[in-house]
């Protein structure tokens, strides 16, 4: 007998039983579908027929696991006590019987294209070869000892005789790799088919049920393709995974339960004709009325006798007890999406409901996530023990557990950081492997008193050993002797000796300068740590080799400041410095530019505009950039376009936590001055509220009387700069008339034209103003040593790093300085920040605390910080950022520029990511 005949005979028999069972269901489980004798009699007769057929060889041997009943025996046993069962048990029995019959048909090769009418989820059918449903997983009720039948009208109070099956059983997930920790068998068993991969690029309308309207809504979220949808990650997850027993849910509690639907009805009532859909649901501990409002169509969607998972609020309304349903799902009709699990919460847009979006995403995850190409090299995955990309995407949307969610997040966050880091390494390599930079070697004794200028720094200060051309500096003529130096040693010419930290970073810089490929270095050091002398020493070395330097500052006043100090530092060597600013007189400026072009001047100081000017800096050997976040990529490109390839030193006084430094400046080597010159008096910092203001005002008056100057910083007005300016102007008027009528007051705010701003700052610097009332615009680098006291209003509104910068404006001279942090009664977070500031003056400690307390988004206080738009990664996650960096360096060392074929997908991803990162 052929196999196909066997299967069709089995199917016919199964179909007959199925029809009877379905009929019994429709008739309300009254045991009236078969007369006489009911289901029990039918089962006996049917089993005889099956056995006969088997004996005639029409069915083959009973296929079942050893020890298990043949299906006909199982059915007989299942319905044996049907008549004596209570209604709910009958429901369960019929369902179990149906499953059994279907498994019989399924076992004889039921074609996958005609799924059974009930109780088979998409995952079950997707699994193909998964074993049929065993009765024990569906109907424990049918096997347990049962109480005598009770009359139906008391149904509401009846608990089930036995607990509902577990959700896992209900979902009937295929678990082919039981025992492994892999959460979902997402990797397709068969090799990916091209048409499925194309699905990733398909418009979202390829998803069943997504029409034009939904497509438009998704577009508003930036989701156009199925792939976009997969990368539309949840903001968070609601934990609806913990199932409670109905009997244990308290009043006022929102809980998730699993029970059997007993009865469903629509009830119209109330003045406004509200329709309430009420389902009676029970488990073995109790029963409850679940209520939905104004969704009458639910009546048809909630079949009696089906298991349901409900998340809702248990309330007492009048003398009724109800569960107001927030979300529900029928676990047997498919995977749980909206409840009974960790439920994803997505950013939404008008008209797009959470449920609709979850449904689409679930579809995309089930059908397409497996085809997202893995771009991480296998070696990196092995070293990091990360989930595969398809797994991570699936688990990040619909996690199996809190743990897999964490693993998924880790993988996706790692990806982002890894791409940033590889991009950084690429940038640095491009810069350093580019055209050679001049070899700028320091003659022994030029910088250091002890003549150690040419000594190599300790090897560990070079985290990265670049390849590329070396010492081809002859490409640029080395016109040494252009500026004959008149003094011999820089350190001796100073009124002080270098600090140990200054000496160390100078060594690192000098080593870079003599190497022949362009230096790319970040010099960070707290306010007043002495970065300017370090820069001046580097400039001197360039000059000694016949090369010019440019020193760039973010504002004109800072440029002027640098001009004065660098001129003074280099004067003993006979070097000339030119200042180039926008507010210079045309003639003055022309003269400066002319001097530069003719090589008469070795240093140009100016704002960043200097780079864009048609300034001839043909012999530019070194560019020093002061106080700039994320100066770098674009400016380097600007320089390159002018055909220049100088060494680059970026300086910042905002200490940056390591993770941020790696992310923002990962393309730079970092040198840190972590030591202040000896004998600095720390600023006396006092955090006050209420009447503390009077104390502060008194001290301002006293200091001014002693010939000192003061800053008063006005509150931050988040809404707009215009409002902030208005508030500052008002405060200025008030202080002038009410508080400091005797003193000379000045005002700066962001709405002033740059020239006006500069004028006010200059007047203050020149001592013609006693008290400068200002908004946050004074933050950066201004050096007025005579200013000794600063008042910061509403200090709790500013970030720690910003407050530290403000405070750095005082304490720059010989006099004891003070900083008052004024705030109203601050909240917990703010109190923590202000007390950290009161007790420490270490910028790095503060920066770490700021990042920890407020997160990277607020760290710089502005959106223009150049921080990448990271969807998953958290920059405060130090270990992960460090790991991403380490892995990126490891990979880069094996395959610089990711040229190997195996790394092509990764290279592509880096290029894409980097384009967005830089454009940001
Ligand atoms: P910043 O790092 O904030 O730019 P500056 O370079 O402006 O700091 O230096 C602050 C002050 O400290 C300057 O007046 C400078 O002359 C002085 N200074 C720098 N290095 C030392 C040192 N090693 N010993 C004593 N004073 C120093
Ligand atoms: Mg400085």
């Amino acid at each position: 007998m052929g196999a196909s005949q066997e299967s069709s005979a089995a199917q016919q028999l199964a179909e007959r039983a199925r029809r009877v069972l379905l009929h019994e269901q429709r008739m309300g489980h009254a045991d009236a579908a078969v007369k006489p004798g009911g289901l029990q009699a039918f089962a006996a007769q049917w089993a005889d027929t099956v056995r006969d057929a088997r004996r005639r060889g029409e069915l083959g041997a009973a296929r079942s696991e050893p020890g298990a009943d043949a299906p006909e025996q199982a059915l007989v046993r299942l319905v044996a006590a049907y008549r004596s069962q209570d209604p709910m048990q009958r429901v369960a029995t019929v369902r179990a019987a149906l499953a059994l019959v279907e498994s019989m048909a399924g076992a004889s090769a039921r074609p996958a294209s005609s799924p059974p009418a009930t109780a088979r989820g998409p995952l079950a059918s997707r699994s193909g070869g998964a074993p049929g449903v065993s009765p024990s997983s569906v109907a424990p009720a049918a096997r347990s000892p049962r109480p005598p039948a009770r009359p139906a009208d008391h149904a509401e109070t009846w608990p089930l005789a036995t607990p509902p099956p577990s959700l896992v059983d209900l979902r009937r997930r295929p678990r082919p790799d039981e025992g492994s920790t892999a959460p979902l068998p997402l990797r397709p068993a068969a090799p990916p088919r091209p048409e499925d991969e194309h699905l990733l690029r398909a418009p979202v309308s390829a998803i069943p049920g997504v029409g034009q309207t939904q497509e438009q809504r998704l577009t508003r979220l930036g989701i156009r393709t199925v792939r976009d949808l997969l990368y539309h990650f949840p903001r968070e997850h609601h934990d609806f995974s913990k199932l409670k027993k109905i009997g244990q849910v308290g009043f006022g509690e929102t809980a998730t339960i699993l029970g059997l639907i007993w009865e469903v009805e629509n009830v119209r009532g109330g003045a406004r004709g509200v329709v309430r859909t009420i389902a009676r649901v029970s488990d073995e501990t109790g029963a409850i009325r679940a209520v939905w409002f104004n969704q009458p169509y639910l009546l048809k969607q909630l079949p009696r006798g089906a298991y349901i998972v409900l998340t809702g609020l248990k309330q007492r309304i009048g003398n009724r007890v109800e569960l107001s349903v927030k979300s529900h799902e029928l676990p047997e009709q498919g995977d749980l999406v909206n409840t009974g699990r960790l439920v994803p919460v997505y950013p939404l847009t008008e008209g797009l409901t959470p449920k609709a979006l979850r449904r689409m995403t679930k579809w995309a995850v089930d059908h397409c996530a497996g085809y997202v190409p893995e771009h991480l090299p296998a070696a990196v995955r092995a070293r990091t023990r990360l989930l595969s990309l398809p797994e991570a995407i699936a688990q990040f949307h619909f996690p199996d557990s809190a743990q897999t969610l964490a693993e998924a997040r880790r993988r996706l966050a790692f990806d982002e950081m890894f791409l940033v880091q590889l991009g950084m390494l690429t940038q640095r390599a491009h810069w350093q492997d580019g055209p050679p930079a001049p070899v700028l070697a320091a003659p022994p004794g030029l910088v250091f008193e002890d003549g150690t200028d040419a000594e190599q720094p300790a090897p560990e200060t070079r985290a990265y050993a670049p390849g590329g051309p070396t010492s081809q500096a002859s490409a640029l003529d080395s016109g040494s002797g252009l500026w004959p130096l008149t003094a011999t040693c820089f350190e001796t010419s100073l009124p002080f000796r270098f600090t140990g930290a200054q000496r160390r970073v100078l060594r690192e810089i000098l080593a870079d300068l003599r190497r022949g490929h362009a230096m790319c270095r970040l010099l960070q050091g707290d306010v007043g740590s002495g970065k300017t002398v370090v820069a001046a020493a580097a400039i001197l070395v360039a000059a000694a080799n016949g090369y010019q330097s440019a020193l760039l500052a973010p504002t004109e006043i800072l440029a002027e400041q640098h001009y004065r100090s660098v001129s003074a530092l280099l004067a003993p060597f006979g070097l000339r410095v030119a200042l180039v600013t926008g507010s210079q007189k045309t003639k003055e400026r022309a003269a400066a530019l002319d001097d530069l072009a003719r090589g008469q001047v070795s240093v140009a100081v100016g704002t960043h505009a200097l780079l864009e000017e048609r300034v001839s800096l043909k012999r530019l050997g070194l560019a020093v950039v002061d106080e700039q976040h994320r100066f770098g990529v674009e400016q380097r490109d600007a320089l390159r376009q002018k055909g220049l390839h100088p060494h680059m030193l970026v300086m910042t006084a905002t200490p940056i936590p390591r993770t941020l430094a790696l992310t923002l400046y990962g393309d730079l080597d970092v040198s840190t001055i972590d030591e202040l010159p000896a004998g600095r008096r720390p600023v006396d910092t006092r955090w006050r509220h209420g009447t503390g203001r009077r104390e502060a005002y008194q001290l301002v008056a006293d200091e001014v009387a002693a010939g000192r100057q003061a800053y008063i910083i006005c509150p931050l007005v988040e809404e707009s700069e215009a409002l902030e300016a208005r508030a500052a102007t008002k405060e200025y008027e008030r202080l002038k008339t009410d508080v400091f009528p005797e003193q000379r007051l000045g005002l700066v705010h962001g709405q002033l034209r740059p020239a006006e701003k500069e004028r006010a700052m200059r007047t203050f610097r020149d001592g013609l103003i006693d008290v400068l009332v200002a908004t946050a615009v004074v933050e950066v680098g201004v050096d007025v040593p005579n200013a000794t006291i600063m008042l910061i209003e509403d200090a709790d509104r500013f970030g720690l790093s910003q407050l530290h910068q403000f405070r750095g404006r005082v304490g720059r001279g010989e006099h004891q300085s003070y900083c008052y942090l004024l705030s109203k009664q601050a909240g917990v977070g703010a109190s923590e920040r202000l007390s950290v500031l009161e007790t420490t003056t270490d910028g790095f400690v503060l920066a770490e605390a700021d990042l920890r307390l407020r997160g990277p988004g607020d760290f710089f206080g502005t959106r223009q910080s150049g921080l990448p738009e990271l969807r998953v990664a958290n920059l405060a996650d130090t270990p992960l950022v460090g790991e991403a960096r380490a892995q990126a360096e490891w990979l880069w060392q094996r395959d610089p520029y990711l040229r190997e074929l195996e790394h092509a997908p990764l290279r592509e991803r880096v290029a894409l990511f980097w384009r967005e990162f830089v454009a940001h």
Side-chain angles (χ1 to χ4, degrees):
M1 174 144 290
S4 63
Q5 277 167 299
E6 278 179 18
S7 75
S8 79
Q11 276 171 26
Q12 275 169 18
L13 282 166
E15 186 54 28
R16 197 174 134 215
R18 206 168 77 86
R19 253 190 257 133
V20 169
L21 289 165
L22 287 176
H23 189 50
E24 172 66 17
Q25 250 179 2
R26 276 195 300 275
M27 309 265 296
H29 302 91
D31 204 12
V34 181
K35 278 188 174 149
L39 270 193
Q40 200 179 345
F42 168 75
Q45 186 235 339
W46 183 77
D48 283 345
T49 322
V50 173
R51 268 190 294 267
D52 284 349
R54 213 188 285 294
R55 222 173 291 127
R56 287 197 302 273
E58 286 170 15
L59 293 181
R63 297 180 216 187
S64 56
E65 293 142 40
D69 295 335
E72 62 273 18
Q73 284 164 296
L75 187 75
V76 170
R77 235 166 32 76
L78 202 53
V79 300
Y82 188 70
R83 180 149 293 173
S84 67
Q85 286 180 334
D86 68 42
M88 287 316 284
Q89 287 168 337
R90 285 187 181 180
V91 169
T93 300
V94 172
R95 296 159 54 82
L98 273 166
L100 182 69
V101 164
E102 262 148 23
S103 79
M104 176 178 163
S108 49
R110 172 192 280 277
S113 57
S114 66
T118 61
R120 285 198 76 168
L123 267 177
S125 52
R126 199 151 50 94
S127 75
V133 179
S134 82
S136 67
S137 69
V138 180
R143 287 189 167 180
S144 52
R146 47 195 78 84
R150 285 181 252 193
D153 50 319
H154 290 143
E156 192 175 337
T157 59
W158 289 356
L160 293 186
T162 48
S166 80
L167 271 184
V168 176
D169 285 339
L170 283 173
R171 280 144 83 184
R172 277 182 255 145
R173 279 218 159 145
R175 313 217 133 212
D177 54 352
E178 206 90 79
S180 95
T181 53
L184 251 187
L186 263 162
R187 226 159 313 143
R193 296 174 306 162
E195 59 268 34
D196 289 317
E197 284 185 69
H198 290 157
L199 259 183
L200 285 174
R201 259 170 282 140
V204 279
S205 54
I207 298 172
V210 177
Q212 217 176 11
T213 323
Q214 292 289 48
E215 193 174 11
Q216 280 164 5
R217 289 173 183 146
L218 289 167
T219 306
R220 261 185 270 143
L221 291 170
I223 302 170
R224 292 192 168 73
T225 63
V226 172
R227 188 200 178 86
D228 293 341
L229 188 62
L230 288 175
Y231 274 91
H232 185 67
F233 291 132
R235 267 189 289 125
E236 55 177 331
H237 290 82
H238 287 323
D239 189 352
F240 293 158
S241 65
K242 308 238 162 31
L243 294 184
K244 269 217 152 173
K245 291 297 173 195
I246 292 176
Q248 286 154 8
V249 181
F251 285 102
E253 184 184 349
T254 298
T256 304
I257 58 163
L258 164 62
L260 203 58
I261 301 176
W262 182 265
E263 223 167 57
V264 192
E265 57 182 337
N266 277 340
V267 179
R268 207 167 289 272
R272 267 163 279 137
V274 186
V275 179
R276 300 176 348 130
T277 305
I278 301 175
R280 290 177 193 156
V281 174
S282 57
D283 66 11
E284 80 281 13
T285 66
I288 195 160
R289 293 151 55 94
V291 181
W292 292 259
F293 292 94
N294 281 332
Q295 300 169 66
Y297 53 86
L298 285 177
L299 188 67
K300 290 213 186 81
Q301 297 173 7
L302 301 173
R304 296 172 56 184
Y307 285 110
I308 187 168
V309 178
L310 290 165
T311 299
L313 171 69
K314 182 170 168 179
Q315 287 174 308
R316 200 194 300 272
I317 295 176
N319 56 3
R320 289 194 310 263
V321 174
E322 290 183 358
L323 189 78
S324 327
V325 180
K326 281 194 186 163
S327 57
H328 71 272
E329 220 139 18
L330 302 170
E332 294 149 301
Q333 291 186 358
D335 272 0
L336 291 177
V337 173
N338 294 303
T339 186
R341 59 169 309 126
L342 287 166
V343 177
V345 182
Y346 294 104
L348 294 169
T349 182
E350 206 187 323
L352 187 64
T353 64
K355 274 190 183 174
L357 185 53
R358 274 181 215 131
R359 191 183 50 72
M360 298 172 208
T361 311
K362 186 73 170 76
W363 190 92
V365 165
D366 285 347
H367 293 84
C368 309
Y371 298 101
V372 176
E374 175 62 78
H375 56 254
L376 273 193
V380 172
R381 266 192 62 207
R383 286 164 56 84
T384 47
R385 296 161 177 273
L386 290 164
L387 292 187
S388 75
L389 188 53
E391 281 167 335
I393 289 175
Q395 288 297 316
F396 199 45
H397 285 288
F398 296 99
D400 283 349
S401 67
Q403 198 206 328
T404 56
L405 173 61
E407 281 177 37
R409 177 178 284 122
R410 179 162 170 268
R411 158 70 212 246
L412 296 169
F414 178 89
D415 268 16
E416 289 181 340
M417 291 314 306
F418 190 62
L419 294 178
V420 170
Q421 296 304 332
L422 282 174
M424 291 287 179
L425 292 177
T426 315
Q427 286 302 314
R428 172 156 64 177
H430 274 313
W431 179 249
Q432 295 186 326
D433 295 354
V439 173
L440 305 176
L446 177 65
V447 174
F448 295 124
E449 205 174 30
D450 57 10
T452 57
D453 307 47
E455 271 173 28
Q456 292 289 333
E460 66 267 23
T461 62
R462 304 270 332 162
Y464 168 69
T470 51
S471 59
Q472 290 170 12
S474 50
L476 288 163
D477 53 331
S478 87
S480 64
L482 251 188
W483 303 292
L485 306 179
T486 48
T488 52
C489 177
F490 184 67
E491 192 175 14
T492 327
S493 75
L494 298 170
F496 47 77
R497 295 290 82 94
F498 288 128
T499 61
Q502 281 172 320
R503 201 175 291 278
R504 175 170 44 76
V505 301
L506 259 171
R507 288 235 169 81
E508 290 164 1
I509 291 167
L510 296 184
D512 281 359
L513 290 179
R514 77 170 88 86
R515 207 189 306 257
H517 43 238
M519 167 169 78
C520 239
R521 190 167 279 280
L522 173 73
L523 174 60
Q524 55 173 348
D526 217 339
V527 232
S529 61
K531 294 184 289 295
T532 317
V533 275
V534 171
I539 290 171
L540 180 63
V541 171
N545 286 273
Y547 281 91
Q548 292 174 308
S549 300
L551 175 49
L552 310 176
T555 65
E556 293 213 346
I557 189 148
L558 284 174
E560 283 178 25
Q561 207 169 280
H562 278 312
Y563 170 69
R564 268 179 288 118
S565 47
V566 172
S567 297
L569 287 165
L570 298 181
F573 298 83
L575 294 180
R576 286 184 55 205
V577 182
L579 176 69
V580 184
T581 70
S583 61
Q584 263 175 329
K585 291 202 191 74
T586 329
K587 238 171 147 187
E588 239 176 85
R589 191 178 151 85
L593 293 180
D594 191 47
D595 282 351
L596 279 169
R598 287 189 294 122
Q600 303 263 307
V601 168
S602 52
V603 191
V605 179
T607 54
H608 294 149
L610 190 60
L611 286 185
E612 284 116 49
E613 299 274 341
R614 263 181 275 121
V615 183
S616 173
L617 288 164
K618 277 284 174 305
R619 303 193 53 78
L620 185 66
L622 171 67
V624 181
V625 187
D626 193 22
E627 304 291 2
Q628 177 83 350
H629 301 308
R630 261 233 48 85
F631 180 92
V633 181
E634 304 90 48
Q635 283 86 348
R636 268 180 264 162
D637 283 346
L639 281 172
R640 215 178 299 182
Q641 260 149 36
K642 299 177 87 174
L644 298 169
H645 207 66
H647 296 281
M648 180 99 77
L649 183 65
V650 180
M651 307 199 291
T652 175
T654 308
I656 305 170
R658 202 180 109 76
T659 53
L660 281 187
L662 277 177
T663 309
L664 289 173
Y665 299 111
D667 49 343
L668 310 182
D669 293 302
V670 178
S671 289
T672 303
I673 308 184
D674 49 8
E675 177 187 358
L676 290 183
R680 285 278 161 80
R681 271 190 267 183
V683 177
D684 183 346
T685 305
R686 302 167 181 184
W687 168 31
R688 297 282 187 275
H689 31 242
T691 54
R693 177 172 285 102
R694 228 174 296 141
E695 171 194 329
Y697 286 157
Q698 185 58 52
L699 195 56
V700 168
D702 292 349
E703 288 289 299
V704 169
R708 308 281 87 77
Q709 290 164 282
Y711 295 97
I712 295 180
I713 308 294
C714 298
L716 197 63
V717 178
E718 309 260 348
E719 296 84 55
S720 81
E721 220 174 50
L723 283 180
E724 184 167 83
R726 211 175 310 151
T729 310
K730 227 168 114 195
E731 175 70 354
Y732 164 77
E733 297 294 343
R734 184 185 76 84
L735 289 168
K736 201 161 91 172
T737 47
D738 299 351
V739 189
F740 301 112
E742 317 274 276
Q743 289 82 355
R744 297 167 298 173
L745 267 63
L747 172 68
V748 274
H749 56 68
Q751 291 293 93
L752 295 180
R753 269 176 285 128
E756 293 174 310
K757 225 183 297 179
E758 302 266 343
R759 191 172 334 116
M761 292 306 300
R762 231 168 257 140
T763 330
F764 183 65
R765 182 191 68 199
D766 297 341
L768 303 173
I769 289 174
D770 299 317
V771 180
L772 185 66
V773 180
T775 57
V777 294
V778 291
E779 192 186 346
V780 187
V782 184
D783 188 18
V784 182
N786 192 46
T788 55
I789 179 162
M790 167 162 289
L791 251 78
I792 304 172
E793 292 283 356
D794 281 351
D796 52 297
R797 299 221 195 143
F798 295 98
L800 267 184
S801 294
Q802 208 176 1
L803 290 169
H804 182 59
Q805 283 294 312
F806 287 145
R807 183 168 61 177
R809 300 306 107 223
V810 296
R812 304 178 71 84
E814 61 207 289
H815 309 284
Q816 173 63 55
S817 294
Y818 306 89
C819 177
Y820 275 93
L821 306 170
L822 302 174
S823 78
K824 303 187 188 72
Q825 288 295 353
V828 180
S831 306
E832 200 177 336
R833 287 206 301 278
L834 296 182
S835 60
V836 174
L837 201 72
E838 221 181 358
T839 49
T840 178
T841 53
D842 184 326
F844 283 94
V845 174
L846 290 170
E848 296 285 352
D850 202 18
L851 181 61
R852 180 171 46 79
L853 294 172
R854 293 198 312 163
D858 287 326
F859 180 78
F860 291 110
T862 89
R863 292 289 298 139
Q864 289 91 38
S865 58
L867 280 171
E869 194 98 52
L870 298 173
R871 299 197 216 192
V872 187
N874 173 6
L875 283 172
D877 185 347
T878 315
L880 188 77
V881 177
E883 162 122 60
R885 175 64 166 200
Q887 298 297 343
E889 280 177 347
W890 179 84
L891 186 65
W892 192 269
Q893 251 167 29
R894 266 144 204 81
D895 181 19
Y897 293 103
L898 310 176
R899 290 196 171 113
E900 281 169 24
L901 188 61
E902 179 201 354
H903 298 149
L906 181 59
R907 189 175 61 227
E908 218 168 280
R909 292 281 297 139
V910 172
L912 257 177
F913 191 85
W914 188 256
R915 227 172 293 147
E916 271 172 33
F917 178 70
V918 172
H920 179 62

